[in-house]
Amino acid sequence: MGIKRPFAEVGSRGADDDNGADPSSLDNTKRRKQLGKAKHKARQGTSEFSKKRARNIQRLLQRKQDLPANVVNDLERELEAHKADLDDKAFQRKRSAMIAKYHMVRFFERRKASRLVKQLKRQMEQTPESDDTDRLKQDLHTAEVDEAYTLYFPHLESYVSLYGSALSAEADEGGSKTPSAKVSLRAERPPMWSVVERTLAEGPEALRRLREAKPAGGKAVEKTPKRQQLKVSATASNAGGPPPPQKQHKEKGPSRKDGKTGVPSTKDGAAPQLNRRERRRLMHQAKAATEDEDGEDGGGFFEDM
């Protein structure tokens, strides 16, 4: 059987271990024991960083009016740069959303317009001196503008279909075999079609500028949250008229009881709504009154037998 070590030896060895411990390990232990997490810091170049920095600059300029002129100029220049960066990123988000939204209809209409352009060119090559040359040239020009319309319609505007009316007409007629692009050659065109027609003569670079054009003011239109839209509509409706009627809450008070019967009554004489306890009390009172009347009559039916 082994010999137990004295307590003093064990205690002194533990103290020596603590004194010789690595200070970095102790610091790590303290760090692990700290509650909470470090505050999130936005990375430079992100939208979050630009928003926070622009807000901080605006607050600084409003709070401190005695800053030097060169510092104020630098801050205002930085503020404009952050605002421009935010506007550009909002434009890119809106652009991507609109491209995804109208990608399918633009793709199918571009294929129809391209197919019609090839057909008309083939007809002109096969019959170069026919009587319908002028009509074919006009139709070819319309088809080429249709193709450019599907390619260079501004991304930030809601796309207006070229062949939607022709498709609905085909559905009403039971589905004809004539292509919808050919049926719509004489149909009315959207307003943007004439803009694309004028820009087509200026060259491909002008068409690209038209497609990437920003809305008026240079800012992308952000979608307003639904809750904020409701607040704005309610404020606008109340501005020109009386305030909306408020719900009238009935004041609860002790009901007035009739002195003869003890039944709750109202001033207008209408029958009040009784709760369960009052209904039960009235039922017992009616039952007791009936028994008293039977006793006064002489015991009832079984006494004569």
mmCIF file of all heavy atoms in Angstrom, residues 3 8 13 45 49 51 100 118 131-132 137 147 161 169 179-180 195 249 269 303:
data_model
loop_
_atom_site.group_PDB
_atom_site.id
_atom_site.type_symbol
_atom_site.label_atom_id
_atom_site.label_comp_id
_atom_site.label_asym_id
_atom_site.label_seq_id
_atom_site.Cartn_x
_atom_site.Cartn_y
_atom_site.Cartn_z
ATOM 1 N N ILE A 3 2.280 5.137 0.293
ATOM 2 C CA ILE A 3 2.280 6.123 1.381
ATOM 3 C C ILE A 3 1.663 7.407 0.880
ATOM 4 O O ILE A 3 1.992 7.898 -0.214
ATOM 5 C CB ILE A 3 3.716 6.376 1.873
ATOM 6 C CG1 ILE A 3 4.345 5.058 2.340
ATOM 7 C CG2 ILE A 3 3.746 7.420 2.978
ATOM 8 C CD1 ILE A 3 5.809 5.164 2.678
ATOM 9 N N ALA A 8 0.802 19.544 2.977
ATOM 10 C CA ALA A 8 1.644 20.722 2.735
ATOM 11 C C ALA A 8 2.412 20.592 1.429
ATOM 12 O O ALA A 8 2.582 21.554 0.683
ATOM 13 C CB ALA A 8 2.611 20.914 3.911
ATOM 14 N N ARG A 13 3.116 22.489 -4.163
ATOM 15 C CA ARG A 13 3.314 22.205 -5.584
ATOM 16 C C ARG A 13 2.282 22.921 -6.443
ATOM 17 O O ARG A 13 2.580 23.454 -7.513
ATOM 18 C CB ARG A 13 3.264 20.698 -5.819
ATOM 19 C CG ARG A 13 3.498 20.304 -7.258
ATOM 20 C CD ARG A 13 3.598 18.799 -7.401
ATOM 21 N NE ARG A 13 4.753 18.275 -6.670
ATOM 22 C CZ ARG A 13 5.082 16.996 -6.621
ATOM 23 N NH1 ARG A 13 4.329 16.094 -7.250
ATOM 24 N NH2 ARG A 13 6.134 16.592 -5.949
ATOM 25 N N GLY A 45 -16.243 50.074 -48.215
ATOM 26 C CA GLY A 45 -16.653 49.751 -49.581
ATOM 27 C C GLY A 45 -18.033 49.151 -49.672
ATOM 28 O O GLY A 45 -18.573 49.026 -50.785
ATOM 29 N N PHE A 49 -21.266 50.505 -44.749
ATOM 30 C CA PHE A 49 -20.229 51.454 -44.364
ATOM 31 C C PHE A 49 -20.544 52.851 -44.891
ATOM 32 O O PHE A 49 -20.382 53.854 -44.171
ATOM 33 C CB PHE A 49 -18.876 50.978 -44.900
ATOM 34 C CG PHE A 49 -17.744 51.933 -44.640
ATOM 35 C CD1 PHE A 49 -17.103 51.947 -43.420
ATOM 36 C CD2 PHE A 49 -17.346 52.828 -45.627
ATOM 37 C CE1 PHE A 49 -16.059 52.839 -43.180
ATOM 38 C CE2 PHE A 49 -16.311 53.718 -45.385
ATOM 39 C CZ PHE A 49 -15.667 53.721 -44.163
ATOM 40 N N LYS A 51 -23.505 54.133 -45.630
ATOM 41 C CA LYS A 51 -24.646 54.697 -44.906
ATOM 42 C C LYS A 51 -24.221 55.234 -43.543
ATOM 43 O O LYS A 51 -24.590 56.349 -43.153
ATOM 44 C CB LYS A 51 -25.726 53.631 -44.738
ATOM 45 C CG LYS A 51 -26.498 53.302 -45.993
ATOM 46 C CD LYS A 51 -27.539 52.246 -45.711
ATOM 47 C CE LYS A 51 -28.293 51.855 -46.975
ATOM 48 N NZ LYS A 51 -29.291 50.788 -46.718
ATOM 49 N N ALA A 100 -34.399 40.753 -64.324
ATOM 50 C CA ALA A 100 -34.956 39.437 -64.002
ATOM 51 C C ALA A 100 -36.464 39.401 -64.207
ATOM 52 O O ALA A 100 -37.023 38.362 -64.594
ATOM 53 C CB ALA A 100 -34.613 39.081 -62.557
ATOM 54 N N LYS A 118 -35.278 38.037 -90.665
ATOM 55 C CA LYS A 118 -34.671 37.074 -91.596
ATOM 56 C C LYS A 118 -35.643 36.701 -92.715
ATOM 57 O O LYS A 118 -35.254 36.592 -93.884
ATOM 58 C CB LYS A 118 -34.240 35.829 -90.833
ATOM 59 C CG LYS A 118 -33.082 36.070 -89.869
ATOM 60 C CD LYS A 118 -32.722 34.800 -89.127
ATOM 61 C CE LYS A 118 -31.599 35.035 -88.122
ATOM 62 N NZ LYS A 118 -31.269 33.800 -87.357
ATOM 63 N N ASP A 131 -43.464 44.137 -107.137
ATOM 64 C CA ASP A 131 -44.246 45.338 -106.848
ATOM 65 C C ASP A 131 -44.317 45.628 -105.338
ATOM 66 O O ASP A 131 -44.650 46.755 -104.950
ATOM 67 C CB ASP A 131 -45.669 45.177 -107.397
ATOM 68 C CG ASP A 131 -45.665 44.998 -108.909
ATOM 69 O OD1 ASP A 131 -44.682 45.466 -109.543
ATOM 70 O OD2 ASP A 131 -46.630 44.409 -109.446
ATOM 71 N N ASP A 132 -44.048 44.634 -104.525
ATOM 72 C CA ASP A 132 -44.156 44.800 -103.073
ATOM 73 C C ASP A 132 -42.831 45.185 -102.421
ATOM 74 O O ASP A 132 -42.648 45.014 -101.211
ATOM 75 C CB ASP A 132 -44.656 43.485 -102.433
ATOM 76 C CG ASP A 132 -46.049 43.139 -102.910
ATOM 77 O OD1 ASP A 132 -46.771 44.059 -103.348
ATOM 78 O OD2 ASP A 132 -46.415 41.947 -102.826
ATOM 79 N N LYS A 137 -39.714 46.785 -97.670
ATOM 80 C CA LYS A 137 -38.714 47.640 -97.019
ATOM 81 C C LYS A 137 -39.285 48.283 -95.749
ATOM 82 O O LYS A 137 -38.597 48.362 -94.726
ATOM 83 C CB LYS A 137 -38.245 48.715 -97.997
ATOM 84 C CG LYS A 137 -37.312 48.196 -99.089
ATOM 85 C CD LYS A 137 -36.842 49.337 -99.976
ATOM 86 C CE LYS A 137 -35.893 48.823 -101.059
ATOM 87 N NZ LYS A 137 -35.424 49.934 -101.956
ATOM 88 N N GLU A 147 -36.774 44.672 -83.101
ATOM 89 C CA GLU A 147 -35.662 43.915 -82.515
ATOM 90 C C GLU A 147 -34.807 44.808 -81.621
ATOM 91 O O GLU A 147 -34.393 44.404 -80.518
ATOM 92 C CB GLU A 147 -34.815 43.318 -83.638
ATOM 93 C CG GLU A 147 -33.711 42.395 -83.146
ATOM 94 C CD GLU A 147 -32.917 41.799 -84.294
ATOM 95 O OE1 GLU A 147 -33.110 42.245 -85.438
ATOM 96 O OE2 GLU A 147 -32.102 40.899 -84.029
ATOM 97 N N SER A 161 -44.999 45.376 -73.777
ATOM 98 C CA SER A 161 -44.917 44.331 -74.798
ATOM 99 C C SER A 161 -45.330 44.859 -76.168
ATOM 100 O O SER A 161 -46.216 45.706 -76.297
ATOM 101 C CB SER A 161 -45.800 43.147 -74.400
ATOM 102 O OG SER A 161 -45.795 42.168 -75.413
ATOM 103 N N ALA A 169 -55.499 38.625 -79.793
ATOM 104 C CA ALA A 169 -56.352 38.488 -80.969
ATOM 105 C C ALA A 169 -56.303 37.069 -81.521
ATOM 106 O O ALA A 169 -57.325 36.500 -81.935
ATOM 107 C CB ALA A 169 -55.916 39.486 -82.046
ATOM 108 N N PRO A 179 -47.454 34.315 -87.667
ATOM 109 C CA PRO A 179 -46.667 34.752 -86.506
ATOM 110 C C PRO A 179 -47.196 36.064 -85.939
ATOM 111 O O PRO A 179 -47.665 36.936 -86.673
ATOM 112 C CB PRO A 179 -45.257 34.916 -87.078
ATOM 113 C CG PRO A 179 -45.235 34.099 -88.316
ATOM 114 C CD PRO A 179 -46.621 34.140 -88.860
ATOM 115 N N SER A 180 -47.120 36.174 -84.622
ATOM 116 C CA SER A 180 -47.643 37.372 -83.969
ATOM 117 C C SER A 180 -46.839 38.613 -84.359
ATOM 118 O O SER A 180 -47.387 39.718 -84.428
ATOM 119 C CB SER A 180 -47.611 37.191 -82.453
ATOM 120 O OG SER A 180 -46.289 36.905 -82.011
ATOM 121 N N VAL A 195 -38.774 56.477 -79.771
ATOM 122 C CA VAL A 195 -37.485 56.897 -79.205
ATOM 123 C C VAL A 195 -36.379 55.947 -79.658
ATOM 124 O O VAL A 195 -35.279 56.371 -80.044
ATOM 125 C CB VAL A 195 -37.569 56.955 -77.669
ATOM 126 C CG1 VAL A 195 -36.224 57.343 -77.071
ATOM 127 C CG2 VAL A 195 -38.647 57.934 -77.228
ATOM 128 N N HIS A 249 -65.820 53.784 -26.654
ATOM 129 C CA HIS A 249 -65.833 52.675 -25.710
ATOM 130 C C HIS A 249 -66.945 52.915 -24.695
ATOM 131 O O HIS A 249 -67.075 54.015 -24.139
ATOM 132 C CB HIS A 249 -64.488 52.575 -24.985
ATOM 133 C CG HIS A 249 -63.346 52.318 -25.924
ATOM 134 N ND1 HIS A 249 -63.066 51.075 -26.427
ATOM 135 C CD2 HIS A 249 -62.432 53.162 -26.466
ATOM 136 C CE1 HIS A 249 -62.029 51.144 -27.221
ATOM 137 N NE2 HIS A 249 -61.629 52.412 -27.267
ATOM 138 N N GLY A 269 -85.674 51.428 -20.747
ATOM 139 C CA GLY A 269 -86.648 50.358 -20.569
ATOM 140 C C GLY A 269 -86.340 49.098 -21.331
ATOM 141 O O GLY A 269 -87.119 48.148 -21.270
ATOM 142 N N GLU A 303 -102.961 15.369 -2.725
ATOM 143 C CA GLU A 303 -103.652 15.417 -1.458
ATOM 144 C C GLU A 303 -105.078 14.858 -1.569
ATOM 145 O O GLU A 303 -105.618 14.301 -0.613
ATOM 146 C CB GLU A 303 -103.699 16.853 -0.966
ATOM 147 C CG GLU A 303 -104.251 16.979 0.450
ATOM 148 C CD GLU A 303 -104.097 18.373 0.995
ATOM 149 O OE1 GLU A 303 -103.315 19.153 0.389
ATOM 150 O OE2 GLU A 303 -104.738 18.697 2.003
#
